Amino acid sequence: PTDVALLALAIKGGVDRDELLARLPRVNEIPFEPDGRYSASFHARDDATWIAVKGAPERVLAMCRLEPAQAEAVRASAVDMAARGLRVIALASGWLERVTDSGRAPPAPRDLEFAALAGLIDPLRPGVREAIARSREAGIRVAMVTGDHPVTALVIARELGIATRPDEAVTGAELAAGGT
């Protein structure tokens, strides 16, 4: 769903995917992994490689060339978007001065140019609120596990009646370190 939404955004922005891939054929990729929290696509052009990255804002921003004030402004925008219940994806791109070998693992992206934040609405499935209410009535403690930003997760948890306070949202890193 995320890739379809980003493709729709690109089409609305005038990008022709087929024409772009004809000019810049994909030669390698880094698939999304929950631990890495980003994916990257590598595309050849002449003797160089264009890299397109999407992922968690804090992860992608760490790969970008931004002044500290610029990075902080982007982070603040991402938190503002998350506070409105949006799933926030950061987009960035850059160039390698050589073509990556498709038979080898690509290099970790760095020195990228920040492009944009995209906010996606991930609506609740019908019946979720009711199922949570019935579970609680039956004495079941309900927990929500998501890969979303903690601020986004808290907005959704509030909407579902699962959590109301920020301290009720725990990140994966906090959980792994012994949080509850």
Side-chain angles (χ1 to χ4, degrees):
T2 299
D3 288 338
V4 171
L6 292 174
L7 182 58
L9 176 65
I11 290 168
K12 288 179 181 180
V15 174
D16 182 326
R17 181 179 187 270
D18 294 333
E19 186 273 327
L20 183 63
L21 288 174
R23 281 190 304 114
L24 299 165
R26 185 183 326 203
V27 294
N28 216 327
E29 68 179 321
I30 297 173
F32 180 84
E33 294 288 337
D35 289 342
R37 299 179 20 230
Y38 77 95
S39 65
S41 182
F42 296 77
H43 302 265
R45 186 177 90 183
D46 301 326
D47 292 335
T49 302
W50 180 66
I51 308 166
V53 175
K54 68 177 180 244
E58 57 278 4
R59 184 69 172 105
V60 174
L61 286 174
M63 300 173 190
C64 294
R65 297 180 313 259
L66 287 173
E67 295 295 322
Q70 293 172 308
E72 187 51 42
V74 173
R75 281 187 202 91
S77 292
V79 170
D80 180 59
M81 293 169 73
R84 291 183 278 143
L86 299 173
R87 189 158 39 104
V88 184
I89 307 290
L91 308 171
S93 66
W95 288 92
L96 288 175
E97 294 182 7
R98 61 183 170 74
V99 175
T100 63
D101 180 354
S102 61
R104 298 170 60 175
R110 59 186 175 87
D111 296 325
L112 301 177
E113 182 177 325
F114 175 76
L117 293 174
L120 301 141
I121 296 172
D122 198 3
L124 297 175
R125 290 191 174 141
V128 171
R129 281 186 195 89
E130 295 80 9
I132 289 171
R134 284 194 307 275
S135 296
R136 288 193 151 182
E137 289 169 7
I140 298 169
R141 182 177 173 220
V142 178
M144 180 177 82
V145 178
T146 178
D148 287 335
H149 187 282
V151 174
T152 303
L154 186 58
V155 169
I156 294 165
R158 282 180 176 147
E159 190 176 329
L160 292 170
I162 295 173
T164 58
R165 300 181 324 271
D167 66 330
E168 293 177 290
V170 179
T171 67
E174 291 168 337
L175 193 58
T180 57

